[in-house]
Amino acid sequence: MGFRLTPQDTSFYSLFATSAGLLVEATRELTKLLELGVPERTSIAERLRALENEADEATHELIKKVNTSFITPFDREDIHNLAAHLDDCMDHIEETADLIVLYRIGVLPEGMAEQIEILSRMAEVTAEAMPRLRSLNDLRSYWIEINRLENQADKLHRKMLADLFNNSHQDAVYIIKMKGVIDGFEEAADSFEKVAHTVEGIAVKES
Amino acid sequence: MGFRLTPQDTSFYSLFATSAGLLVEATRELTKLLELGVPERTSIAERLRALENEADEATHELIKKVNTSFITPFDREDIHNLAAHLDDCMDHIEETADLIVLYRIGVLPEGMAEQIEILSRMAEVTAEAMPRLRSLNDLRSYWIEINRLENQADKLHRKMLADLFNNSHQDAVYIIKMKGVIDGFEEAADSFEKVAHTVEGIAVKES
Amino acid sequence: MGFRLTPQDTSFYSLFATSAGLLVEATRELTKLLELGVPERTSIAERLRALENEADEATHELIKKVNTSFITPFDREDIHNLAAHLDDCMDHIEETADLIVLYRIGVLPEGMAEQIEILSRMAEVTAEAMPRLRSLNDLRSYWIEINRLENQADKLHRKMLADLFNNSHQDAVYIIKMKGVIDGFEEAADSFEKVAHTVEGIAVKES
């Protein structure tokens, strides 16, 4: 596939870049969440809610654009899917951060810093890849890196579950809450992988 | 897209309308579930199982029709997806109601009446939209309303989780059971949103 | 659709057969898991991890093949979906077996032998169906059997949940762990059904 220089195409790519950029911002908020005490966390959750609203608007902009464009750079379904999976990343991040606040969790487990670090890397790598959708070049390294990060996240997730159940002296209610949070961040990591799979699928079809 | 008057098309629409109509009936059973005591709930769960079987038959009818039709009103994949997501709505409703019976839950939390009211509205709005698939007119108001209802459901879901963990004096086993039920109804709401997204996708492609 | 005798096609079918064959092996390991004591289970979990890696390689081989093939036997998206759902079956089997080890669960509930037996049947039926993708003949009996098995799995899953909550004298932490395992095997069964639905979709489109 050659270069695409039509002005219509431009904003599809820029809307995907916007969505992924919001995910970079969202994971930065997650990092702050770890460093702050319980009272300050509420403002982080609100900030994430605002980012989620912005992401929703970017998604709707994309859908409207698909609606009104005669020509789209990829299959309309692929644009839909890519937008939907980027949306899922944000949803899981926002929801899981909100659970930490709603459940009034005090001390977060050690592994959570690494979980959030992996999500931050995933967001950055995704944001860097979005502009390359235009040329469909060099995307292979992106999805390989995402797969690697997802494997790392998965391994960590299992270790955290084992620690939660076996090494902690916490009661059952704490375990239920914390399992919800640990699982929520793992679902965010899974959603980043689905974004990468969709990009891989687009590259497969268009190349 | 103009009018479609071919006889083959008719029953696709009517089968979708049947599926959505069964969801309206199912949410009515959910409302009864709230009003009845523990012993009477078993018969509601059985009635929902019967509705789910009917819905399965409608789905299989659709698949068979797709198999044997030379021309379909939309892409075959979209018909498959729409049928599958409508099926998911019913599955989550039936399964969650059954959990209430299986877990022998006594008092249901206050928010659950509103959760079920939202599901009832979603079912009605969906059933009203299905006949409009024929002309693909006026569907935008449908998916906007479903998005609004899903946001409302999501907010309520989080409030119910917070109440369950923070304000209740229930034991851990009760919390696990009730979380399963609260989450199950939220998954039903998510499935209604997926139906709306699929309809949006069809409208995008066909218009 | 007539016969396909081009050499390119051959390895798509054989890669799907390889994936499904690995699932047969994986469910055999699950059966051993039931029969062995806690210390021996670790080696089963490692064996399943190795099988999952093999399955990942088969999936990547498929994707690479889709990338480099000018002609594919089915739509590229369908090949992607079929590969992805087969992958999900393996992921759920491997992950759930690992949970049994990670959670250091002693006695497994009675119904689990039947759960695993159903998964074994699903894997066998799937492996037998994969070569029939070539001619697209006799696939109907496959997806009907998978649906039947999934219904059976679903019924058993509910009974096991009811028993776990109502008849056991176990504490809440045990219930959380065991619910995770019981649900994990049910998700594996659901993934087998998604494989069957994808095959049904392919048959619908290609026939």
Side-chain angles (χ1 to χ4, degrees), chain A residues 165 172-173 176, chain B residues 171-173 176, chain C residues 170-178:
Chain A
F165 280 99
V173 175
I176 303 170
Chain B
D171 67 354
V173 176
I176 304 169
Chain C
Q170 302 287 352
D171 67 355
V173 176
Y174 176 85
I175 289 178
I176 304 169
K177 289 177 176 179
M178 195 49 74

Short mmCIF file of all heavy atoms in Angstrom, two decimals, chain A residues 165 172-173 176, chain B residues 171-173 176, chain C residues 170-178:
data_model
loop_
_atom_site.label_atom_id
_atom_site.label_comp_id
_atom_site.label_asym_id
_atom_site.label_seq_id
_atom_site.Cartn_x
_atom_site.Cartn_y
_atom_site.Cartn_z
N PHE A 165 -3.51 -14.42 48.28
CA PHE A 165 -4.20 -15.52 48.96
C PHE A 165 -3.32 -16.25 49.97
O PHE A 165 -3.80 -16.74 50.97
CB PHE A 165 -4.74 -16.52 47.93
CG PHE A 165 -6.01 -16.08 47.29
CD1 PHE A 165 -6.01 -15.49 46.05
CD2 PHE A 165 -7.21 -16.24 47.95
CE1 PHE A 165 -7.20 -15.06 45.46
CE2 PHE A 165 -8.41 -15.83 47.37
CZ PHE A 165 -8.40 -15.24 46.12
N ALA A 172 -11.16 -11.89 54.37
CA ALA A 172 -11.77 -12.25 53.10
C ALA A 172 -12.29 -11.02 52.35
O ALA A 172 -12.16 -10.94 51.13
CB ALA A 172 -12.91 -13.24 53.34
N VAL A 173 -12.86 -10.05 53.08
CA VAL A 173 -13.42 -8.88 52.40
C VAL A 173 -12.31 -8.09 51.70
O VAL A 173 -12.45 -7.65 50.56
CB VAL A 173 -14.23 -8.00 53.38
CG1 VAL A 173 -14.71 -6.73 52.67
CG2 VAL A 173 -15.43 -8.77 53.92
N ILE A 176 -11.38 -9.92 48.52
CA ILE A 176 -12.34 -9.72 47.41
C ILE A 176 -12.10 -8.37 46.74
O ILE A 176 -12.05 -8.26 45.52
CB ILE A 176 -13.81 -9.75 47.93
CG1 ILE A 176 -14.11 -11.05 48.66
CG2 ILE A 176 -14.80 -9.58 46.75
CD1 ILE A 176 -15.46 -11.03 49.39
N ASP B 171 -21.61 -10.64 56.00
CA ASP B 171 -20.34 -11.37 56.01
C ASP B 171 -19.79 -11.54 54.59
O ASP B 171 -20.47 -11.22 53.60
CB ASP B 171 -20.49 -12.72 56.72
CG ASP B 171 -21.38 -13.66 55.94
OD1 ASP B 171 -21.96 -13.25 54.92
OD2 ASP B 171 -21.50 -14.83 56.35
N ALA B 172 -18.58 -12.04 54.52
CA ALA B 172 -17.87 -12.14 53.25
C ALA B 172 -18.62 -13.00 52.23
O ALA B 172 -18.67 -12.68 51.05
CB ALA B 172 -16.47 -12.68 53.47
N VAL B 173 -19.21 -14.10 52.70
CA VAL B 173 -19.90 -15.00 51.76
C VAL B 173 -21.09 -14.29 51.12
O VAL B 173 -21.32 -14.39 49.91
CB VAL B 173 -20.34 -16.31 52.46
CG1 VAL B 173 -21.15 -17.19 51.51
CG2 VAL B 173 -19.12 -17.08 52.95
N ILE B 176 -19.73 -11.96 48.45
CA ILE B 176 -19.36 -12.66 47.20
C ILE B 176 -20.60 -12.95 46.36
O ILE B 176 -20.63 -12.69 45.15
CB ILE B 176 -18.63 -14.00 47.49
CG1 ILE B 176 -17.41 -13.77 48.38
CG2 ILE B 176 -18.22 -14.68 46.18
CD1 ILE B 176 -16.81 -15.08 48.91
N GLN C 170 -16.86 -24.67 54.05
CA GLN C 170 -15.59 -23.99 53.82
C GLN C 170 -15.70 -22.52 54.17
O GLN C 170 -16.78 -21.95 54.20
CB GLN C 170 -15.21 -24.13 52.34
CG GLN C 170 -15.08 -25.57 51.88
CD GLN C 170 -13.84 -26.24 52.42
OE1 GLN C 170 -12.99 -25.59 53.03
NE2 GLN C 170 -13.75 -27.53 52.22
N ASP C 171 -14.57 -21.92 54.41
CA ASP C 171 -14.56 -20.50 54.73
C ASP C 171 -14.58 -19.65 53.45
O ASP C 171 -14.46 -20.18 52.33
CB ASP C 171 -13.37 -20.12 55.61
CG ASP C 171 -12.06 -20.28 54.88
OD1 ASP C 171 -12.05 -20.76 53.73
OD2 ASP C 171 -11.02 -19.90 55.45
N ALA C 172 -14.75 -18.33 53.64
CA ALA C 172 -14.93 -17.42 52.51
C ALA C 172 -13.73 -17.43 51.55
O ALA C 172 -13.91 -17.39 50.34
CB ALA C 172 -15.19 -16.01 53.03
N VAL C 173 -12.52 -17.52 52.11
CA VAL C 173 -11.33 -17.49 51.25
C VAL C 173 -11.30 -18.71 50.33
O VAL C 173 -11.02 -18.61 49.13
CB VAL C 173 -10.03 -17.38 52.08
CG1 VAL C 173 -8.81 -17.46 51.17
CG2 VAL C 173 -10.01 -16.07 52.87
N TYR C 174 -11.64 -19.89 50.89
CA TYR C 174 -11.74 -21.08 50.05
C TYR C 174 -12.78 -20.90 48.95
O TYR C 174 -12.56 -21.27 47.80
CB TYR C 174 -12.10 -22.31 50.91
CG TYR C 174 -12.31 -23.56 50.09
CD1 TYR C 174 -11.24 -24.36 49.71
CD2 TYR C 174 -13.59 -23.92 49.66
CE1 TYR C 174 -11.44 -25.50 48.95
CE2 TYR C 174 -13.80 -25.07 48.89
CZ TYR C 174 -12.72 -25.85 48.54
OH TYR C 174 -12.92 -26.97 47.77
N ILE C 175 -13.91 -20.29 49.31
CA ILE C 175 -14.98 -20.09 48.33
C ILE C 175 -14.51 -19.17 47.20
O ILE C 175 -14.76 -19.45 46.02
CB ILE C 175 -16.24 -19.51 49.03
CG1 ILE C 175 -16.88 -20.60 49.90
CG2 ILE C 175 -17.25 -18.98 48.00
CD1 ILE C 175 -18.10 -20.13 50.69
N ILE C 176 -13.79 -18.09 47.54
CA ILE C 176 -13.29 -17.19 46.50
C ILE C 176 -12.35 -17.93 45.54
O ILE C 176 -12.46 -17.83 44.33
CB ILE C 176 -12.52 -15.99 47.11
CG1 ILE C 176 -13.38 -15.23 48.11
CG2 ILE C 176 -12.05 -15.03 46.00
CD1 ILE C 176 -12.59 -14.21 48.93
N LYS C 177 -11.42 -18.69 46.13
CA LYS C 177 -10.46 -19.44 45.30
C LYS C 177 -11.20 -20.42 44.39
O LYS C 177 -10.97 -20.48 43.18
CB LYS C 177 -9.52 -20.26 46.19
CG LYS C 177 -8.51 -19.46 46.98
CD LYS C 177 -7.72 -20.43 47.87
CE LYS C 177 -6.61 -19.73 48.63
NZ LYS C 177 -5.87 -20.69 49.49
N MET C 178 -12.09 -21.20 44.99
CA MET C 178 -12.73 -22.27 44.22
C MET C 178 -13.67 -21.71 43.16
O MET C 178 -13.76 -22.25 42.06
CB MET C 178 -13.50 -23.19 45.19
CG MET C 178 -13.90 -24.50 44.57
SD MET C 178 -12.53 -25.33 43.71
CE MET C 178 -11.59 -25.90 45.12
#
